Amino acid sequence: MGTYRQTVVDLDASADEAAAWGLHGRNWLETQGFVRPVPWQDGIVRLAGPRWREAVDLVPWDRRARIRESEEEPGDEVRVITGRTVFVAGPGDPPAAICPGCRTPDPAWPHSAIDTWYTTGAADLGCRACARLSPLPDWEWTDDYFAFAHLGFQFDDWPPLHPRFTAALGQALGHRIRVLTGKI
């Protein structure tokens, strides 16, 4: 079966700022009513809040959820992920890296750059088409497969997040974001 995962990745929060920006984003999600804190075991989890429907596109989701009066809500918590992370959409074919300068896709798998970024938090990747050297986090990937960052907001088994919602979250953070979606 698997889990349908969507992660809104903050591309600009540094390693030192990630926890503070994560708290800021989580507080925004709560004050806007998209999530609500719920006591669970020895802590708190964030589940769908009263305005969760405004954050998603219900049309392609479960048939029951299209009924406006339905009480059905996403079943999993929203997690704030902090720390150096290689965010991955899910299993699939290896993606091509897309140069931030010339927008040329390069199907060569940059193993060493990914390993270096994961180990040190900094790595550059050179474009074979335009010879531009750019930080790995600035590169895009076909199918939004990867993001290299220190902060992400992970929504598991939610309906597809609406672009208006993800743009509003990015605006609340004041940072560039990338949305990764996939089944894990």
Side-chain angles (χ1 to χ4, degrees), residues 61-143:
W61 196 49
D62 185 75
R63 183 174 145 307
R64 294 167 303 185
R66 282 190 249 146
I67 301 169
R68 192 127 176 93
E69 293 75 31
S70 172
E71 295 301 315
E72 186 80 20
E73 65 181 40
D76 209 342
E77 68 179 297
V78 174
R79 292 180 179 94
V80 178
I81 311 296
T82 58
R84 187 180 315 131
T85 306
V86 178
F87 293 97
V88 180
D93 295 329
I98 302 169
C99 175
C102 70
R103 310 292 306 154
T104 301
D106 184 350
W109 193 248
H111 290 288
S112 63
I114 292 171
D115 291 344
T116 300
W117 188 89
Y118 188 73
T119 303
T120 68
D124 290 328
L125 187 58
C127 178
R128 295 192 297 181
C130 71
R132 179 179 174 169
L133 193 63
S134 301
L136 187 60
D138 290 350
W139 286 70
E140 292 181 30
W141 303 84
T142 53
D143 300 324

